Amino acid sequence: MTPMNWRQKLLQWRASPLGEKLIGLADFDIRWRIQNVNFPVYLQASKNLSEILTGSGKETAERALFRSIASRSEMREFWDVGANIGQYTWEFLSSGPEKRAILFEPDDRNVKTIRRTISKASLDSCKIEKKAVSDRVGTIEFKRDTITGKQGTIVTNANIERVMGRPAHSIQITCTTIDHVSRQTNRSPDLIKIDVEGAEQAVIDGGTDVFSKDRPLVFIEVLASNFPEIESKFQAWGYRLFDAILRRPANAHSFNLVAISPDRHPRLFSELFTSAD
């Protein structure tokens, strides 16, 4: 059986009545040390087993690239869209002085864990927005992932439902846009991560001013079906897209992408990406 089939089988078992009951029994936060973070963070015992066992998350290649970019002195403001429990933010804040961040996470359970880390570590330089990021301001349907906490989404055709083999629990939540937050706060990100389980087109459409004018560097997960449109939009704004793992020009199979404007970040572009062309 392939690794993907094993993961799907595991998720399906966790989505069963017995699996959900066992997860519920272990649904508490634990304070933990993870690699590349300067302070203890809170993890969810029921959902973050890999981080607890290994001291770090998965996605090691793109995480290494992320930390290399985050450590640059010009990278002072980070926006974490689809923050989950905040691991990218914690690594960003640990990458150097004078860093600040905004985390966007709509799932109540994940927000509770994030807030515990912020409070315990006295992270005055970051704030949490309990909202989904989309292409409009208002309310929107959110499909919660009560099994892993990582695949909640605002898209209709949710992957978590296919994996679980049953409908996800849906709730109405507040949504906002990147441009709206930028105008409200008079802030703009230097670096942004977007991990929204298929809703990346809506996030991009709600940030056209920020992407076209400020051109932050972007780490983004993109479904193959969304790649052509997202590539076209970023290229129109002067970006180049690369596979975050291979550091080669991205294609529809890349999934983990980095969007960088050579004009906005010429030195970083030449150091990290020109050799990949």
Side-chain angles (χ1 to χ4, degrees), residues 184-233:
Q184 270 195 325
T185 62
N186 197 29
R187 293 165 61 172
S188 181
D190 302 304
L191 179 62
I192 183 168
K193 183 217 78 181
I194 301 170
D195 181 0
V196 288
E197 300 299 323
E200 52 270 13
Q201 290 193 66
V203 174
I204 297 302
D205 288 344
T208 55
D209 286 346
V210 166
F211 292 120
S212 63
K213 298 174 183 177
D214 301 323
R215 290 177 294 173
L217 193 144
V218 185
F219 276 75
I220 182 171
E221 288 191 359
V222 178
L223 296 184
S225 58
N226 292 336
F227 179 81
E229 184 173 349
I230 286 179
E231 179 186 41
S232 176
K233 289 175 180 176

Side-chain angles (χ1 to χ4, degrees), residues 90-223:
W90 312 148
E91 290 188 11
F92 180 82
L93 296 177
S94 299
S95 68
E98 299 181 358
K99 306 284 187 179
R100 63 180 186 173
I102 302 177
L103 302 91
F104 300 88
E105 174 57 46
D107 189 295
D108 280 335
R109 183 66 186 88
N110 292 338
V111 169
K112 177 182 176 182
T113 302
I114 289 171
R115 283 176 172 162
R116 293 191 74 177
T117 296
I118 291 174
S119 176
K120 193 68 175 181
S122 299
L123 299 176
D124 298 331
S125 59
C126 72
K127 60 181 290 191
I128 173 72
E129 292 278 356
K130 195 179 79 170
K131 298 175 182 177
V133 178
S134 185
D135 56 358
R136 58 188 174 84
V137 177
T139 60
I140 199 166
E141 183 182 36
F142 176 67
K143 296 186 177 182
R144 291 191 63 221
D145 174 10
T146 57
I147 308 304
T148 71
K150 299 176 182 178
Q151 297 189 78
T153 184
I154 60 174
V155 300
T156 302
N157 189 21
N159 181 60
I160 186 62
E161 295 184 325
R162 293 193 295 272
V163 172
M164 292 192 305
R166 62 174 173 80
H169 176 58
S170 295
I171 58 174
Q172 288 291 316
I173 59 169
T174 303
C175 63
T176 189
T177 72
I178 289 173
D179 285 344
H180 181 74
V181 174
S182 181
R183 289 191 294 268
Q184 270 195 325
T185 62
N186 197 29
R187 293 165 61 172
S188 181
D190 302 304
L191 179 62
I192 183 168
K193 183 217 78 181
I194 301 170
D195 181 0
V196 288
E197 300 299 323
E200 52 270 13
Q201 290 193 66
V203 174
I204 297 302
D205 288 344
T208 55
D209 286 346
V210 166
F211 292 120
S212 63
K213 298 174 183 177
D214 301 323
R215 290 177 294 173
L217 193 144
V218 185
F219 276 75
I220 182 171
E221 288 191 359
V222 178
L223 296 184

